[in-house]
Amino acid sequence: MGIIMGDDRRRRRLRRYHRPLLAGSFALCVLIGCFSNKLGKVAVIPRTSGTMLWEPEHGGAEAAGRKDDLWVYWNAPTREDDTAAQIALVERVTHGNYQGLVLAPDQALALMTPVRRAVERGVCTVIVGSPLSIPASDRLSYILNDDEEGGRMAARRVALLLHGKGSVGVIGINPNISGIMIRARSFESYLAENYPDIHIVEKRMGSFNVPHEQQVAEEMLRSNENLDVIVALMWPSVRGAISTIENEPGKLSTKVIGFDPDALPFEANSLDSVIVQNTREMGYQAVDMIAARLHGTPMPPLVKLGPVLVTRENVNSKEVGNLTSMDWSKSP
């Protein structure tokens, strides 16, 4: 549990730091007239802030903003399940003086109407990470994580660990986030097609509540005593599974493969690997795309970016460091 609580303290510190910094930066810009030579303003709204998943997006967006002469406004809900707060932020952008919006939706259905309104009012919008059921248009594009490949990546890793034979449990299935459902279906179908001797023995829904996810993991391990691998499709589920296994020495043979990390706690023996979205590149390309549209160049309807498998072997590599760095102020 020490690993988990450390992550929470770091996130709270980052949030306390970001808010006064944003307010101070805005006041300073007003005083020196920093908007005067800018092409426009772009709001970047991730699912939440202060996490290893979304702070890299901030860095990418800021780097593109500097290159393209766009002022980047960054704000987010304090929790990934606070859909109402994210809707309120989108509405504020829609009715403000913004030329662009980059959004990672917290909820697949609830954000559709606010996004439609933004597009109708002329705000160039790029949805990143996970899709909405709105077709692309001249003012709406998608830069998505390739969750189909993420599911296949997890399936191949399971097959490597189990040498083609064993049992798997899947937790963290969340129908509110389209990308998670895509990776779940991809994982299951790839295993069925290529590794018929690996069986998914149980699947459980997920939430952003870590104690609840810990309870889910405990129940799954009790009902499947010889479970070989847990695939956790969202990070609270990963944290719940790791905590459960590390606190029960008899279960240490069960390995965890996770997605969308807030940390890389490979000191936990049960964590085998994590699959990481390239949100830094999403942020960069999204702001760059909006700048091109403001200059009259059409935006492509869809870009997919492949995730990266992080293991003990490559966790200290330059590629992974760039992918997961939370120091958004020093982006290349």
Side-chain angles (χ1 to χ4, degrees):
M1 289 298 286
I3 296 168
I4 306 308
M5 294 305 294
D7 291 345
D8 290 339
R9 284 195 295 269
R10 179 177 61 183
R11 187 183 301 185
R12 286 195 295 269
R13 284 198 303 270
L14 278 163
R15 286 179 180 142
R16 285 198 299 270
Y17 170 75
H18 281 165
R19 291 195 181 103
L21 178 60
L22 284 171
S25 297
F26 180 82
L28 181 60
C29 283
V30 171
L31 286 173
I32 66 174
C34 69
F35 297 150
S36 58
N37 296 318
K38 295 291 185 183
L39 177 63
K41 294 194 295 182
V42 175
V44 183
I45 304 174
R47 294 211 303 254
T48 189
S49 62
T51 71
M52 186 178 285
L53 177 59
W54 295 113
E55 286 305 310
E57 184 200 15
H58 191 181
E62 290 285 351
R66 290 192 297 268
K67 179 179 75 74
D68 295 324
D69 266 342
L70 284 168
W71 184 73
V72 174
Y73 169 77
W74 168 272
N75 206 344
T78 57
R79 304 187 320 273
E80 287 186 281
D81 58 352
D82 193 350
T83 306
Q86 193 176 53
I87 290 172
L89 287 170
V90 173
E91 295 286 2
R92 187 185 308 167
V93 170
T94 300
H95 295 93
N97 183 27
Y98 289 86
Q99 287 69 48
L101 167 65
V102 180
L103 174 69
D106 275 343
Q107 220 271 10
L109 294 177
L111 270 297
M112 288 175 64
T113 297
V115 167
R116 282 198 179 103
R117 259 196 298 266
V119 172
E120 288 167 1
R121 289 180 68 93
V123 180
C124 296
T125 301
V126 181
I127 303 299
V128 301
S130 181
L132 298 176
S133 298
I134 307 174
S137 65
D138 62 337
R139 288 195 296 267
L140 176 64
S141 292
Y142 291 88
I143 301 178
L144 302 180
N145 181 56
D146 191 344
D147 282 298
E148 289 185 348
E149 175 56 22
R152 293 190 293 266
M153 196 177 283
R156 290 191 292 266
R157 186 68 182 181
V158 167
L160 180 67
L161 287 174
L162 301 185
H163 306 289
K165 186 175 183 178
S167 61
V168 184
V170 181
I171 60 177
I173 300 171
N174 188 335
N176 289 327
I177 301 176
S178 300
I180 289 177
M181 301 306 294
I182 292 168
R183 67 180 62 151
R185 290 191 293 269
S186 175
F187 173 76
E188 187 169 1
S189 63
Y190 194 86
L191 275 185
E193 291 169 10
N194 297 281
Y195 303 103
D197 291 328
I198 297 177
H199 303 287
I200 299 176
V201 296
E202 192 171 345
K203 298 183 287 186
R204 297 291 294 268
M205 304 296 283
S207 74
F208 290 103
N209 185 305
V210 175
H212 176 266
E213 295 306 285
Q214 185 171 345
Q215 181 179 343
V216 167
E218 288 171 357
E219 292 170 358
M220 180 174 283
L221 286 166
R222 276 201 302 269
S223 58
N224 301 278
E225 291 186 357
N226 297 315
L227 190 65
D228 296 306
V229 179
I230 292 177
V231 173
L233 301 173
M234 49 194 292
W235 194 248
S237 307
V238 178
R239 295 168 71 186
I242 291 173
S243 181
T244 297
I245 295 169
E246 296 295 310
N247 288 327
E248 294 188 27
K251 301 295 184 183
L252 286 177
S253 62
T254 303
K255 299 302 179 185
V256 177
I257 297 171
F259 286 79
D260 302 342
D262 278 358
L264 298 173
F266 283 106
E267 62 269 28
N269 292 325
S270 57
L271 180 63
D272 171 77
S273 53
V274 293
I275 296 169
V276 183
Q277 300 186 41
N278 192 348
T279 61
R280 182 177 301 277
E281 186 64 18
M282 287 178 195
Y284 186 91
Q285 288 197 27
V287 172
D288 206 35
M289 196 180 288
I290 290 170
R293 177 66 178 79
L294 295 176
H295 282 295
T297 302
M299 299 192 300
L302 173 65
V303 174
K304 281 192 177 182
L305 298 176
V308 174
L309 179 73
V310 180
T311 66
R312 283 176 175 80
E313 288 69 39
N314 70 350
V315 67
N316 295 316
S317 68
K318 184 177 180 180
E319 178 193 16
V320 172
N322 186 57
L323 198 69
T324 59
S325 172
M326 297 174 66
D327 188 357
W328 59 268
S329 64
K330 294 183 179 179
S331 272

